Amino acid sequence: MKMGNSSFVAIALLMSVVVLCNGGKTSSYVRKLIQNPVDMPLDSDAFAIPPGYNAPQQVHITQGDHVGQAMIISWVTVDEPGSNEVIYWSNSSLQNFTAEGEVFTYTYYNYTSGFIHHTNITNLEFNTTYFYVVGIGNTTRQFWFTTPPEVGIDVPYTFGIIGDLGQTFDSNTTLTHYQNSNGSTLLYVGDLSYADDYPYHDNVRWDTWGRFTERSAAYQPWIWTAGNHEIDFDLQIGETQSFKPFSNRYHTPYESSQRTSTLQYKWLTTELPKIDRTETSWLIVLMHAPWYNSYYSHYMEGEPMRVVFESLFIKYKVDVVFAGHVHAYERSERVSNDKYNITNGICTPVKDISAPVYITNGDGGNQEGLSINMTQPQPSYSAYREASFGHGTLEIKNRTHAFYSWNRNQDGYAVEADKLWLFNRYWNPLDDSTTNIP
Ligand SMILES: [Fe+2]
């Protein structure tokens, strides 16, 4: 159940390569609401501030080590720093434990953050429900989570996938639908609050996003990927430290996983060989900008990264790659394009059952609206594409099979619009394509 998760950021480069083949399905579903989504107002119930002096808000958790026996508990207090302590206990024991973390603050232009607490609680039992309390000494709030099962080759587990969520009424629908799924951990593929769409990147919208997502993120780990909307680099207002709000608010477990902070390529080339597929059967990669994208929006932006990394994904038998960035849904067949060397003209992706399936879940519902313009005809690598909001779920069944489904936000309820069985590339490397491609 270990996850190869990584924080990739798009590098924009346009190349005039067009693939002209007839491929999979372009959904004819037309969403009723065609106007751009709007952010929920500041006084929306979704952003309600919990009552009480110095009450913890924006509570969220993420996996705190490599295997799932630790959890980073994060929250914000606004009146005073208050305690960094988390008190926790399991449902099978009456013994309380206490862990203490650290508090962070930052300024961004004319904004000063609240007191952002991060406490990693460790030595947890697998597959166990824990209750935890934050706000010790002032107003306390209690939450719970369940740790993942012990790493094992045939252990079933269900992930959710959300990207580019933002904080609109549509975002609210997406999150509600996800909460009604059976996902136990959310894989978040980047672009969180969209605060940077506001004047001076109004960081109040980072706080509202934290309160909005608490109803899920306080109860199950959200695994983070950074997107371009997390960069928050703005010379005009003197903000030159990239990822400042994101890195203060959303910690990741790279230290407690004995990971090193290195350049991405170096990190990945040392990380991939460590994954023992006889122990960890599924290899999932998260990134922000997709490599296989047939929408006009962000077309070919992932190309510089693909030419560097794609052969690694094939060599190490990555099963599935989730991305966001493009505000729509798309799923590829198993294809590769790693023979292309810029000058040899071999620039068309070809069927390759050693390659991952690439899925774009940039459809969370943010205020920038849907990416509706698609390249025509649909390229052969594209198995299914639809310009609707929604979320994905990946149900790992055993070492050989996982079931993926994409759930469209249709008329107020989740509709399963695309689904397929994925065969594991290490244990069951058979052809699982859903369309005929040359
Ligand atoms: Fe993006």
Side-chain angles (χ1 to χ4, degrees):
M1 208 55 55
K2 294 173 190 172
M3 287 163 283
N5 64 77
S6 51
S7 301
F8 294 159
V9 179
I11 306 161
L13 178 69
L14 289 171
M15 297 173 69
S16 55
V17 180
V18 179
V19 181
L20 293 170
C21 295
N22 287 312
K25 181 179 176 186
T26 295
S27 172
S28 60
Y29 176 75
V30 178
R31 194 167 163 268
K32 274 185 182 170
L33 293 168
I34 51 168
Q35 66 269 43
N36 262 7
V38 292
D39 275 0
M40 294 181 282
L42 291 174
D43 62 356
S44 163
D45 286 350
F47 305 143
I49 295 170
Y53 177 76
N54 215 32
Q57 56 170 269
Q58 306 175 50
V59 181
H60 55 272
I61 65 174
T62 196
Q63 192 167 306
D65 70 356
H66 195 53
V67 294
Q69 289 192 289
M71 204 68 82
I72 302 173
I73 312 290
S74 305
W75 70 99
V76 175
T77 53
V78 296
D79 298 314
E80 59 171 287
S83 172
N84 296 327
E85 285 180 345
V86 175
I87 295 175
Y88 60 101
W89 62 95
S90 77
N91 61 353
S92 59
S93 157
L94 294 175
Q95 187 182 0
N96 282 0
F97 299 94
T98 302
E100 180 142 17
E102 290 183 86
V103 63
F104 299 77
T105 59
Y106 71 91
T107 59
Y108 191 96
Y109 189 59
N110 60 357
Y111 168 92
T112 301
S113 75
F115 304 98
I116 306 165
H117 305 259
H118 299 284
T119 299
N120 194 14
I121 61 178
T122 58
N123 298 314
L124 304 175
E125 300 291 325
F126 287 115
N127 205 17
T128 301
T129 297
Y130 285 86
F131 297 89
Y132 68 96
V133 173
V134 289
I136 308 302
N138 298 129
T139 304
T140 58
R141 295 180 68 205
Q142 181 177 320
F143 304 87
W144 66 87
F145 61 84
T146 301
T147 51
E150 186 170 5
V151 172
I153 198 161
D154 283 315
V155 176
Y157 200 71
T158 300
F159 294 103
I161 305 99
I162 290 178
D164 303 72
L165 181 61
Q167 46 191 298
T168 70
F169 293 96
D170 295 275
S171 320
N172 202 16
T173 301
T174 301
L175 185 57
T176 298
H177 288 175
Y178 172 60
Q179 290 183 279
N180 290 334
S181 80
N182 56 359
S184 297
T185 287
L186 182 76
L187 306 178
Y188 195 90
V189 288
D191 285 357
L192 283 61
S193 73
Y194 288 76
D196 63 341
D197 280 347
Y198 284 82
Y200 313 118
H201 303 223
D202 185 358
N203 275 221
V204 166
R205 284 289 179 173
W206 274 105
D207 291 314
T208 53
W209 198 81
R211 295 199 294 271
F212 159 51
T213 51
E214 180 189 274
R215 70 189 200 226
S216 171
Y219 298 93
Q220 63 169 251
W222 284 33
I223 307 297
W224 299 108
T225 313
N228 52 299
H229 283 276
E230 278 68 70
I231 297 173
D232 283 314
F233 176 95
D234 193 339
L235 270 181
Q236 290 184 329
I237 55 174
E239 289 297 342
T240 57
Q241 182 193 333
S242 298
F243 299 100
K244 191 200 273 184
F246 174 74
S247 57
N248 275 286
R249 291 168 182 273
Y250 295 96
H251 280 196
T252 58
Y254 76 92
E255 282 176 346
S256 49
S257 302
Q258 284 101 47
R259 293 310 184 255
T260 56
S261 176
T262 60
L263 292 174
Q264 185 166 270
Y265 183 82
K266 191 177 169 191
W267 167 77
L268 192 62
T269 51
T270 54
E271 194 69 14
L272 285 171
K274 293 183 201 166
I275 301 164
D276 178 359
R277 302 296 286 276
T278 65
E279 180 187 65
T280 304
S281 42
W282 290 84
L283 178 52
I284 303 164
V285 174
L286 310 182
M287 60 174 71
H288 184 59
W291 294 352
Y292 289 96
N293 162 40
S294 70
Y295 289 83
Y296 280 118
S297 174
H298 305 299
Y299 188 64
M300 289 284 174
E301 273 184 24
E303 199 64 1
M305 186 180 170
R306 185 194 62 73
V307 299
V308 174
F309 287 91
E310 186 174 30
S311 57
L312 285 172
F313 285 15
I314 297 163
K315 178 180 178 184
Y316 289 100
K317 305 180 193 299
V318 172
D319 294 297
V320 57
V321 176
F322 292 109
H325 199 41
V326 177
H327 300 161
Y329 173 71
E330 185 163 24
R331 170 175 60 84
S332 82
E333 294 293 0
R334 295 191 186 277
V335 290
S336 67
N337 195 10
D338 61 336
K339 304 294 182 289
Y340 180 41
N341 70 2
I342 308 290
T343 58
N344 66 7
I346 308 174
C347 58
T348 304
V350 293
K351 180 172 179 170
D352 183 349
I353 65 164
S354 302
V357 167
Y358 294 89
I359 295 176
T360 302
N361 271 124
D363 48 357
N366 70 74
Q367 63 170 335
E368 294 180 354
L370 284 165
S371 304
I372 54 173
N373 295 317
M374 304 171 184
T375 60
Q376 302 295 348
Q378 185 171 12
S380 61
Y381 63 75
S382 175
Y384 187 103
R385 56 184 187 175
E386 181 177 322
S388 296
F389 295 133
H391 75 276
T393 56
L394 180 70
E395 301 172 39
I396 291 171
K397 302 294 188 185
N398 52 39
R399 77 186 73 179
T400 57
H401 285 72
F403 186 73
Y404 175 81
S405 74
W406 175 64
N407 302 273
R408 172 205 293 150
N409 297 356
Q410 181 185 8
D411 302 327
Y413 52 94
V415 174
E416 196 177 65
D418 183 32
K419 54 189 172 182
L420 77 157
W421 284 99
L422 291 168
F423 299 163
N424 185 280
R425 286 307 90 186
Y426 183 91
W427 288 101
N428 188 26
L430 302 173
D431 188 349
D432 55 3
S433 59
T434 58
T435 56
N436 289 321
I437 61 173

